[in-house]
Amino acid sequence: MSPPAASPSPATARPGWARALTTVLAAMVAMCVVAALGLWAAGAADLPGNAFPRVVAATVVTAVGGSLRLAGDAGVLAQTHAGVTVMPLSVALVGALVVGAGFLRGLRRAAAGARETAWWAARIAVLWLAALTGLAFAARLRFAVDLGDGVLGTIGGLLGARPEVGFTTDVGQSVGFGLLWLAGVLASALLAARPAAVPARPPWAGTRVRPVAYALVVLLLADVAVGLVVALVTAGTRGHAAQTFALVLLGLPNLAWLAFTIGLGATWDGRVDGPFGLPVPHLLDEVLRTPDVSTLDLGTLAGHDGRVWWLVVVDAVLLLAAAFLAAVLSPAATPLWRHAVHMAVGLVLTVLLVCLAGRISAHYALSLLGIGDVGGGLSGEVLLRPRLWSALGLAALWGLVTGFLGAAGARRVRRR
């Protein structure tokens, strides 16, 4: 009688649906908790009715690239116009770290090949699709707008107009961008992971792509860590603790990575108008709150606070450290010029993602009988957009210089 076939050991068992469900649920719970705490610190817990859970769901949906449609209903006598495009990157970063860690842990436990890796990613994608669809349907809300005691309030009372505004999700678009976000997270995890964790990765990816990918991931996390330290010091010394923690839990990477690109010399266009604003330091609000679209760069910021030039120094130190790390992880025989090119390409892609994810566009307006926001304070606009091509060109230049210098430093260390 032949011996029974040995059952697969836990160390080599294929990651199944249960582990995929655990990964997706852990990411969703983490993102919801961070979003809820951030919104609570921002005062959203005081919203009437069952609004708070729906706002949390909407925040998570937008964090992964989902789309919200703002709509209003004020009858035939009034019109509302609104729209919002923003990604709360603190929530997105937490979700990406949890999903990436769960994905790589499943690969390590299974010692998966290419086919097993694809099936493991597909399981996560299917469950992620289901969870995101549920959140997208839950992220819907409608509430009444108080016209106030001004002209709009008087006219609205005489005519019996009770305007309502709210938001709803474009489920198809939200799910599509959510899956694209997930694919980017899983691909980044594969490229930046240690070779032992991804045995199915092609050899060229481990020697050419992985060092720079890993170094730039560390760079982005270091930027957020620096921003966190600055935020905590600010909260402890200048007050406004609730506003600071709301910023940390919702948009700290938005601000940290914006500062990173400005330190590289990039230029952003922005404007803050009306009762709405950005939860940012007073310096940025002062520069952006102008009648026209403002230019946000080192020059305009330094005109209000000369300490802004330290952003250049911080960027230089972090980029040199990242380039040194990438060179140490690369094969010793790699030429210096190739290190520089790899760093330039990686930094250009990183700045591109930061610019695309950091854009903000929000506006709201209410008009009654053709009268728009007469004394009601019911209109506003927040705008932040990069000058993309100049930012990418500067990223390429910084990548070439720091990549060469970092690799030269790594070569000297290796010789010693």
Side-chain angles (χ1 to χ4, degrees):
M1 179 181 297
S2 60
S7 59
S9 63
T12 60
R14 293 183 180 180
W17 289 101
R19 185 170 295 279
L21 180 62
T22 301
T23 299
V24 172
L25 286 181
M28 285 292 179
V29 169
M31 296 173 75
C32 287
V33 168
V34 172
L37 291 175
L39 292 169
W40 172 78
D46 298 329
L47 292 174
N50 197 33
F52 185 68
R54 298 181 183 276
V55 174
V56 171
T59 303
V60 174
V61 170
T62 56
V64 296
S67 175
L68 291 182
R69 293 199 308 265
L70 277 72
D73 181 11
V76 297
L77 302 176
Q79 293 181 341
T80 58
H81 309 280
V84 58
T85 301
V86 61
M87 288 184 67
L89 292 180
S90 291
V91 180
L93 179 60
V94 168
L97 292 176
V98 174
V99 169
F103 177 64
L104 293 179
R105 182 172 180 176
L107 294 181
R108 284 195 298 267
R109 291 177 62 88
R115 186 173 182 179
E116 288 78 8
T117 300
W119 278 111
W120 173 224
R123 289 187 178 97
I124 293 178
V126 169
L127 296 175
W128 180 262
L129 172 65
L132 188 59
T133 302
L135 277 179
F137 277 109
R140 298 183 177 187
L141 178 66
R142 184 175 290 270
F143 54 92
V145 175
D146 184 8
L147 295 177
D149 299 327
V151 176
L152 283 179
T154 302
I155 298 176
L158 291 175
L159 300 178
R162 299 178 58 85
E164 291 184 344
V165 298
F167 61 82
T168 183
T169 53
D170 186 331
V171 177
Q173 187 175 356
S174 298
V175 169
F177 279 109
L179 287 176
L180 184 63
W181 177 90
L182 177 66
V185 170
L186 299 185
S188 299
L190 282 174
L191 294 175
R194 293 176 300 172
V198 191
R201 182 172 51 193
W204 61 265
T207 58
R208 299 179 186 177
V209 179
R210 189 253 170 179
V212 173
Y214 178 79
L216 290 176
V217 168
V218 173
L219 170 69
L220 291 178
L221 295 179
D223 261 322
V224 175
V226 172
L228 177 60
V229 171
V230 173
L232 293 179
V233 171
T234 302
T237 58
R238 300 186 181 181
H240 305 291
Q243 180 181 0
T244 302
F245 285 116
L247 169 63
V248 168
L249 293 168
L250 292 176
L252 179 60
N254 296 72
L255 186 58
W257 295 340
L258 170 66
F260 171 69
T261 61
I262 292 177
L264 297 179
T267 301
W268 293 65
D269 295 317
R271 184 176 183 237
V272 175
D273 178 51
F276 311 112
L278 293 171
V280 297
H282 177 70
L283 171 62
L284 286 182
D285 189 75
E286 189 176 86
V287 173
L288 294 176
R289 195 171 288 278
T290 56
D292 299 319
V293 176
S294 302
T295 299
L296 192 63
D297 58 15
L298 285 169
T300 56
L301 292 175
H304 294 77
D305 190 339
R307 292 174 296 179
V308 168
W309 290 108
W310 282 101
L311 291 177
V312 181
V313 178
V314 172
D315 278 8
V317 172
L318 291 177
L319 282 171
L320 285 172
F324 178 86
L325 176 60
V328 168
L329 297 176
S330 300
T334 305
L336 294 181
W337 67 267
R338 184 168 293 172
H339 284 296
V341 171
H342 290 174
M343 188 68 184
V345 173
L347 188 57
V348 166
L349 294 176
T350 301
V351 170
L352 174 62
L353 292 177
V354 169
C355 289
L356 293 178
R359 295 177 303 169
I360 296 176
S361 175
H363 67 276
Y364 173 73
L366 173 67
S367 62
L368 187 63
L369 291 177
I371 304 173
D373 189 36
V374 181
L378 294 174
S379 69
E381 180 184 23
V382 178
L383 174 68
L384 190 64
R385 63 190 178 207
R387 297 184 186 178
L388 189 59
W389 293 111
S390 62
L392 298 183
L394 289 166
L397 180 60
W398 276 86
L400 288 172
V401 174
T402 58
F404 186 89
L405 295 178
R411 180 166 294 182
R412 292 193 64 178
V413 171
R414 278 174 171 164
R415 288 175 179 174
R416 290 179 181 178

